[in-house]
Amino acid sequence: MTVGFATPLQRTVRPVRSGPDGITARISVAADEQVFRGHYPGFPIFPGVCLVECVHHAARTGAPAPGRPVLAAVESVRFLSPVFPDDEVTVELTWKLKSGAWKAYAAVSTARGKSAQIRLRYEFEAPEEAS
């Protein structure tokens, strides 16, 4: 059984490149995204938590191990520049196995340059048995 998860994003993160060590994915941040309504009126900025969500979507799409990746921790987030309506966000995610834990290291950028550096830690649920 596949279980979805709640997300504030209206658009889908699209994989551009995927391999055993990572994934590159993109998402178009349209001006009509609901998260812009209150963040900030008159000067909309894509919320930082939504950038973390973009990385999480990319990680779920390009998981390095069998099973379903479950977010265990947000280890580090550094916001470098804002993301605005109509920007295209690129997530360059690299997987590393460190001390028995899978970590996703992500550089998030727009056409203007780097927007964030994010590190997430994952655990993997065992794949479901076919019945």
Side-chain angles (χ1 to χ4, degrees), residues 27-116:
I27 183 169
S28 297
V29 179
D32 66 348
E33 284 280 350
Q34 293 180 16
V35 296
F36 285 125
R37 290 184 187 160
H39 200 267
Y40 295 93
F43 188 72
I45 297 173
F46 198 55
V49 70
C50 291
L51 292 178
V52 174
E53 183 77 3
C54 289
V55 171
H56 179 56
H57 279 257
R60 287 175 54 100
T61 301
R68 186 172 69 90
V70 176
L71 182 61
V74 176
E75 291 194 340
S76 174
V77 178
R78 184 172 179 205
F79 298 114
L80 305 168
S81 66
V83 174
F84 299 112
D86 296 322
D87 276 347
E88 181 165 77
V89 172
T90 300
V91 176
E92 295 279 348
L93 185 144
T94 303
W95 286 103
K96 293 185 182 176
L97 184 59
K98 287 196 167 187
S99 303
W102 281 103
K103 297 186 181 194
Y105 294 82
V108 181
S109 62
T110 67
R112 289 181 307 284
K114 289 185 181 178
S115 296

